[in-house]
Amino acid sequence: MIIAIDGPAASGKGTIAKRLAAHYGFRHLDSGLLYRGVGLAVLQTGKLDDPAAAIAAARSYDPARYPEDDLKSDDVAKAASIVAAIPAVREALIALQHDFARSKPGAVIDGRDIGTVIAPHAEVKIFVTATAEERARRRILELRGRGETVDDAAVLADIKARDERDMNRPVAPLRQADDAVLLDTTHLAISPAVQAAIDIVEAVRAGRRPA
Ligand code: DC
């Protein structure tokens, strides 16, 4: 079984995907980490403007080379969003995601184009969203929690710029698949949001249309 979770940055999709995977005993792939790895590779070579460098990094992608802790910064997120708009970069990362999608007994994959491009045949598709202001608020709390100095307006501007880039690129833009269920977490804490996602999976499994 494949559960596809798409949505914008800081919508809660990553936590929901992780907890769904634990709940069902499925494997979890955060596909954003793949693009972040390529983003970090081009930042390290100082060639963010050079599509050839990004394509080469994607074609030789090795997850072991990019520990998750190195991929969390906003600079890497921005670089990921830029390299993710290059069709050949996306192409190079498809096989890995398709292999993962075949995991038994099931896979939960989160990203931007999982329900639309990577696994259009997924049994369950959830599109997780929240207002840009609420997503910025969460991000600000997270950064302050890490002891970082935060410019609130800059965080909101970054989130909006990333949404804009991810939704308006010609290849595999962020959008809700026609058969995805919308889960708006603007007014939901993480536990009720995860429960809502479980309810959606259960409704789909039982052949009911989720509320
Ligand atoms: O989910 P995230 O914030 O870690 O993703 C970082 C960037 O990677 C995001 O801004 C766009 C890109 N991305 C993508 O284009 N397709 C995916 N399936 C996942 C992420």
Side-chain angles (χ1 to χ4, degrees):
M1 177 179 205
I2 302 172
I3 302 177
I5 314 276
D6 289 304
S11 57
K13 68 180 188 320
T15 307
I16 290 172
K18 204 177 292 169
R19 298 217 193 153
L20 274 182
H23 182 82
Y24 288 105
F26 291 176
R27 289 180 73 209
H28 169 227
L29 174 67
D30 171 355
S31 65
L33 291 179
L34 307 176
Y35 296 94
R36 285 173 182 256
V38 176
L40 176 62
V42 295
L43 283 178
Q44 283 169 342
T45 56
K47 291 182 178 166
L48 188 52
D49 293 332
D50 177 6
I55 295 165
R59 288 190 177 149
S60 61
Y61 190 81
D62 171 10
R65 206 186 308 157
Y66 307 109
E68 216 174 306
D69 279 353
D70 295 353
L71 302 176
K72 289 291 167 197
S73 76
D74 283 350
D75 285 349
V76 171
K78 184 175 173 196
S81 172
I82 292 171
V83 299
I86 303 168
V89 165
R90 306 197 70 83
E91 185 68 37
L93 298 173
I94 284 180
L96 200 149
Q97 294 174 81
H98 281 170
D99 285 350
F100 194 94
R102 282 191 284 272
S103 300
K104 297 286 176 224
V108 183
I109 309 182
D110 71 270
R112 302 290 188 290
D113 64 335
I114 308 305
T116 50
V117 174
I118 298 297
H121 54 292
E123 287 85 345
V124 183
K125 299 182 188 179
I126 305 176
F127 191 83
V128 184
T129 191
T131 61
E133 288 70 20
E134 171 59 18
R135 290 184 286 122
R137 192 188 67 80
R138 293 172 188 169
R139 187 75 188 125
I140 290 162
L141 282 178
E142 187 188 332
L143 292 169
R144 290 226 169 88
R146 281 198 234 143
E148 292 181 32
T149 317
V150 188
D151 174 346
D152 293 12
V155 172
L156 179 59
D158 271 2
I159 288 225
K160 287 185 172 170
R162 197 135 73 92
D163 285 355
E164 176 73 18
R165 202 164 29 234
D166 294 346
M167 291 191 301
N168 293 313
R169 63 182 178 222
V171 180
L174 168 65
R175 71 168 182 85
Q176 182 178 347
D178 295 339
D179 52 351
V181 179
L182 181 67
L183 175 53
D184 186 334
T185 66
T186 305
H187 302 293
L188 287 181
I190 196 63
S191 290
V194 171
Q195 188 55 52
I198 292 173
D199 292 346
I200 291 169
V201 176
E202 290 306 313
V204 172
R205 281 178 141 185
R208 299 190 309 269
R209 183 75 202 147

Short mmCIF file of all heavy atoms in Angstrom, two decimals, residues 24 35 39 45-46 55 59-60 74 92 94 96 105 110 113 116 123-124 129 143 145 152-153 156 158 169 175 199 204:
data_model
loop_
_atom_site.label_atom_id
_atom_site.label_comp_id
_atom_site.label_asym_id
_atom_site.label_seq_id
_atom_site.Cartn_x
_atom_site.Cartn_y
_atom_site.Cartn_z
N TYR A 24 1.15 2.34 10.99
CA TYR A 24 0.81 1.19 10.13
C TYR A 24 1.97 0.21 9.94
O TYR A 24 1.83 -0.79 9.26
CB TYR A 24 0.31 1.69 8.77
CG TYR A 24 -1.07 2.32 8.87
CD1 TYR A 24 -1.24 3.69 8.81
CD2 TYR A 24 -2.20 1.52 9.06
CE1 TYR A 24 -2.50 4.27 8.95
CE2 TYR A 24 -3.46 2.08 9.19
CZ TYR A 24 -3.61 3.45 9.13
OH TYR A 24 -4.85 4.01 9.27
N TYR A 35 15.88 16.36 -2.54
CA TYR A 35 16.14 17.66 -3.17
C TYR A 35 17.05 18.51 -2.29
O TYR A 35 17.88 19.28 -2.78
CB TYR A 35 14.80 18.37 -3.47
CG TYR A 35 14.00 17.59 -4.47
CD1 TYR A 35 13.04 16.67 -4.07
CD2 TYR A 35 14.25 17.72 -5.84
CE1 TYR A 35 12.34 15.90 -4.99
CE2 TYR A 35 13.55 16.96 -6.77
CZ TYR A 35 12.59 16.05 -6.33
OH TYR A 35 11.92 15.30 -7.24
N GLY A 39 20.49 20.22 -3.21
CA GLY A 39 20.67 21.64 -2.90
C GLY A 39 21.95 21.87 -2.11
O GLY A 39 22.72 22.79 -2.42
N THR A 45 29.52 23.45 -3.66
CA THR A 45 30.41 23.74 -4.79
C THR A 45 30.29 25.21 -5.22
O THR A 45 30.99 25.65 -6.12
CB THR A 45 30.08 22.85 -6.01
OG1 THR A 45 28.70 23.05 -6.34
CG2 THR A 45 30.33 21.39 -5.74
N GLY A 46 29.32 25.94 -4.58
CA GLY A 46 29.14 27.36 -4.93
C GLY A 46 28.55 27.55 -6.31
O GLY A 46 28.72 28.59 -6.92
N ILE A 55 22.32 18.76 -11.77
CA ILE A 55 21.97 17.50 -12.46
C ILE A 55 23.01 16.42 -12.13
O ILE A 55 22.66 15.27 -11.83
CB ILE A 55 21.86 17.75 -13.98
CG1 ILE A 55 20.69 18.69 -14.26
CG2 ILE A 55 21.70 16.43 -14.75
CD1 ILE A 55 20.68 19.30 -15.67
N ARG A 59 22.27 12.89 -10.29
CA ARG A 59 22.55 11.60 -10.96
C ARG A 59 23.46 10.72 -10.13
O ARG A 59 23.43 9.50 -10.26
CB ARG A 59 23.15 11.86 -12.34
CG ARG A 59 22.10 12.40 -13.29
CD ARG A 59 22.55 12.46 -14.73
NE ARG A 59 21.45 12.92 -15.58
CZ ARG A 59 21.59 13.62 -16.69
NH1 ARG A 59 22.80 13.92 -17.13
NH2 ARG A 59 20.54 14.00 -17.38
N SER A 60 24.27 11.34 -9.27
CA SER A 60 25.18 10.51 -8.44
C SER A 60 24.69 10.52 -6.99
O SER A 60 25.48 10.37 -6.06
CB SER A 60 26.60 11.08 -8.52
OG SER A 60 26.60 12.40 -8.02
N ASP A 74 17.48 26.72 6.45
CA ASP A 74 16.66 27.43 5.46
C ASP A 74 17.43 27.66 4.16
O ASP A 74 16.84 27.72 3.09
CB ASP A 74 16.15 28.75 6.05
CG ASP A 74 14.99 28.51 7.01
OD1 ASP A 74 14.48 27.38 7.06
OD2 ASP A 74 14.60 29.46 7.71
N ALA A 92 16.21 12.39 -12.42
CA ALA A 92 17.27 11.55 -11.84
C ALA A 92 16.86 10.96 -10.49
O ALA A 92 17.42 9.96 -10.06
CB ALA A 92 18.55 12.39 -11.67
N ILE A 94 13.72 9.98 -9.70
CA ILE A 94 12.46 9.22 -9.79
C ILE A 94 12.63 7.75 -9.44
O ILE A 94 11.85 7.19 -8.66
CB ILE A 94 11.83 9.36 -11.21
CG1 ILE A 94 11.19 10.74 -11.34
CG2 ILE A 94 10.78 8.29 -11.45
CD1 ILE A 94 10.54 11.00 -12.69
N LEU A 96 14.67 6.10 -7.59
CA LEU A 96 14.82 5.86 -6.16
C LEU A 96 13.46 5.91 -5.44
O LEU A 96 13.16 5.08 -4.58
CB LEU A 96 15.73 6.99 -5.65
CG LEU A 96 16.46 6.88 -4.35
CD1 LEU A 96 17.76 7.68 -4.47
CD2 LEU A 96 15.63 7.43 -3.23
N PRO A 105 5.42 -3.84 4.06
CA PRO A 105 4.03 -3.98 3.61
C PRO A 105 3.45 -2.69 3.04
O PRO A 105 2.34 -2.70 2.53
CB PRO A 105 3.29 -4.37 4.90
CG PRO A 105 4.08 -3.73 5.99
CD PRO A 105 5.51 -3.73 5.54
N ASP A 110 6.27 11.50 1.58
CA ASP A 110 5.77 12.88 1.59
C ASP A 110 6.63 13.77 0.70
O ASP A 110 7.80 13.51 0.49
CB ASP A 110 5.63 13.42 3.02
CG ASP A 110 6.94 13.68 3.72
OD1 ASP A 110 7.46 12.77 4.37
OD2 ASP A 110 7.45 14.82 3.61
N ASP A 113 4.96 16.27 -5.11
CA ASP A 113 4.39 15.71 -6.35
C ASP A 113 4.16 14.20 -6.23
O ASP A 113 4.16 13.49 -7.22
CB ASP A 113 5.37 15.96 -7.51
CG ASP A 113 6.69 15.22 -7.32
OD1 ASP A 113 7.05 14.93 -6.16
OD2 ASP A 113 7.36 14.93 -8.32
N THR A 116 0.67 13.23 -7.49
CA THR A 116 0.42 13.65 -8.88
C THR A 116 1.36 12.97 -9.88
O THR A 116 0.96 12.62 -10.98
CB THR A 116 0.57 15.18 -9.02
OG1 THR A 116 1.81 15.57 -8.43
CG2 THR A 116 -0.58 15.91 -8.35
N GLU A 123 -2.92 4.36 -3.12
CA GLU A 123 -4.26 4.05 -2.61
C GLU A 123 -4.83 5.21 -1.81
O GLU A 123 -6.02 5.47 -1.82
CB GLU A 123 -4.23 2.80 -1.71
CG GLU A 123 -4.04 1.50 -2.46
CD GLU A 123 -2.58 1.18 -2.74
OE1 GLU A 123 -1.72 2.08 -2.61
OE2 GLU A 123 -2.31 0.03 -3.12
N VAL A 124 -3.95 5.89 -1.06
CA VAL A 124 -4.41 7.02 -0.24
C VAL A 124 -3.57 8.25 -0.59
O VAL A 124 -2.34 8.16 -0.65
CB VAL A 124 -4.25 6.72 1.27
CG1 VAL A 124 -4.80 7.88 2.10
CG2 VAL A 124 -4.95 5.42 1.65
N THR A 129 -2.30 21.11 4.25
CA THR A 129 -1.99 22.52 4.07
C THR A 129 -2.29 23.31 5.34
O THR A 129 -2.82 22.77 6.32
CB THR A 129 -2.76 23.09 2.85
OG1 THR A 129 -2.24 24.38 2.55
CG2 THR A 129 -4.24 23.19 3.11
N LEU A 143 12.65 27.69 15.10
CA LEU A 143 13.97 28.34 15.04
C LEU A 143 14.33 28.94 16.40
O LEU A 143 15.45 28.80 16.88
CB LEU A 143 13.98 29.43 13.97
CG LEU A 143 13.87 28.93 12.52
CD1 LEU A 143 13.62 30.08 11.56
CD2 LEU A 143 15.14 28.18 12.11
N GLY A 145 13.26 27.91 19.24
CA GLY A 145 13.52 26.76 20.11
C GLY A 145 14.96 26.28 19.99
O GLY A 145 15.54 25.73 20.93
N ASP A 152 10.93 37.67 11.94
CA ASP A 152 9.62 37.07 11.64
C ASP A 152 9.17 37.36 10.21
O ASP A 152 8.68 36.46 9.51
CB ASP A 152 8.55 37.61 12.60
CG ASP A 152 8.78 37.15 14.04
OD1 ASP A 152 9.87 36.62 14.33
OD2 ASP A 152 7.86 37.33 14.86
N ALA A 153 9.33 38.61 9.79
CA ALA A 153 8.86 38.99 8.45
C ALA A 153 9.64 38.23 7.38
O ALA A 153 9.09 37.82 6.34
CB ALA A 153 9.01 40.48 8.25
N LEU A 156 8.28 34.62 7.01
CA LEU A 156 7.04 34.58 6.23
C LEU A 156 7.34 34.82 4.74
O LEU A 156 6.79 34.12 3.88
CB LEU A 156 6.05 35.64 6.76
CG LEU A 156 4.72 35.74 6.01
CD1 LEU A 156 3.96 34.40 6.05
CD2 LEU A 156 3.84 36.85 6.60
N ASP A 158 10.08 34.12 3.15
CA ASP A 158 10.75 32.92 2.62
C ASP A 158 9.73 31.83 2.30
O ASP A 158 9.81 31.16 1.27
CB ASP A 158 11.72 32.34 3.66
CG ASP A 158 13.10 32.95 3.53
OD1 ASP A 158 13.27 33.82 2.66
OD2 ASP A 158 13.99 32.55 4.31
N ARG A 169 6.33 26.17 -10.92
CA ARG A 169 7.31 25.62 -11.87
C ARG A 169 6.56 24.78 -12.90
O ARG A 169 5.50 24.19 -12.60
CB ARG A 169 8.36 24.79 -11.13
CG ARG A 169 7.77 23.60 -10.44
CD ARG A 169 8.82 22.81 -9.66
NE ARG A 169 8.19 21.71 -8.98
CZ ARG A 169 8.45 21.33 -7.74
NH1 ARG A 169 9.37 21.95 -7.03
NH2 ARG A 169 7.81 20.31 -7.20
N ARG A 175 0.67 20.77 -6.23
CA ARG A 175 -0.78 20.97 -6.35
C ARG A 175 -1.49 19.75 -5.77
O ARG A 175 -0.91 18.66 -5.68
CB ARG A 175 -1.22 21.24 -7.79
CG ARG A 175 -1.14 20.04 -8.71
CD ARG A 175 -1.86 20.31 -10.04
NE ARG A 175 -1.81 19.11 -10.88
CZ ARG A 175 -2.68 18.10 -10.81
NH1 ARG A 175 -3.67 18.11 -9.94
NH2 ARG A 175 -2.56 17.05 -11.61
N ASP A 199 -7.82 8.77 10.25
CA ASP A 199 -9.24 8.62 9.90
C ASP A 199 -9.43 8.60 8.37
O ASP A 199 -10.26 7.84 7.85
CB ASP A 199 -10.08 9.77 10.49
CG ASP A 199 -10.15 9.71 12.02
OD1 ASP A 199 -9.80 8.65 12.59
OD2 ASP A 199 -10.53 10.73 12.64
N VAL A 204 -10.67 5.47 3.54
CA VAL A 204 -10.34 5.02 2.19
C VAL A 204 -10.26 3.49 2.16
O VAL A 204 -10.80 2.84 1.26
CB VAL A 204 -9.02 5.65 1.69
CG1 VAL A 204 -8.58 5.03 0.38
CG2 VAL A 204 -9.16 7.16 1.55
#
